């Protein structure tokens, strides 16, 4: 019973972390790309382009660099 409860709690934490990271990336992108660029990204993915390549085309840099910039971006945010 304890093991099942621990797994559920672990899943909930991972789910919450994924949710928070997703919103953080959305906020970061909202300050750097336009709606038109995002629409073009979605179009590229729907047309069959590799998602990572389409994302790197959208932001104009490798994913690793975006991850580092995202971390800096989040550290600079003011929390009320």
């Amino acid at each position: 019973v304890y093991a099942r409860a621990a797994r559920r709690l672990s899943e909930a934490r991972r789910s919450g972390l994924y949710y928070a990271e997703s919103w953080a990336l959305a906020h970061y992108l909202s300050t750097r790309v336009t709606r038109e660029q995002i629409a073009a990204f979605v179009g590229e993915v729907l047309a069959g382009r590799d998602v990572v390549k389409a994302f790197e085309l959208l932001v104009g840099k490798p994913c690793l660099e975006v991850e580092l910039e995202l971390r800096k971006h989040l550290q600079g945010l003011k929390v009320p």
Side-chain angles (χ1 to χ4, degrees):
V1 172
Y2 174 76
R4 272 188 289 180
R7 275 195 303 275
R8 280 197 302 269
L9 181 58
S10 178
E11 289 173 15
R13 285 185 182 148
R14 279 195 314 269
S15 176
L17 182 59
Y18 179 77
Y19 181 80
E21 288 174 340
S22 298
W23 274 110
L25 180 59
H27 182 267
Y28 168 84
L29 290 174
S30 74
T31 64
R32 288 164 174 76
V33 298
T34 65
R35 289 180 185 206
E36 292 79 13
Q37 289 172 300
I38 291 174
F41 163 76
V42 171
E44 291 285 326
V45 172
L46 291 176
R49 182 184 280 261
D50 176 75
V51 175
V52 172
K53 289 180 182 175
F55 181 79
E56 290 177 342
L57 183 63
L58 169 70
V59 294
K61 55 189 81 178
C63 287
L64 183 58
E65 192 174 327
V66 173
E67 185 176 351
L68 295 173
E69 286 184 8
L70 176 59
R71 289 179 192 270
K72 287 180 187 175
H73 172 75
L74 293 175
Q75 289 170 349
L77 293 178
K78 303 256 188 245
V79 178

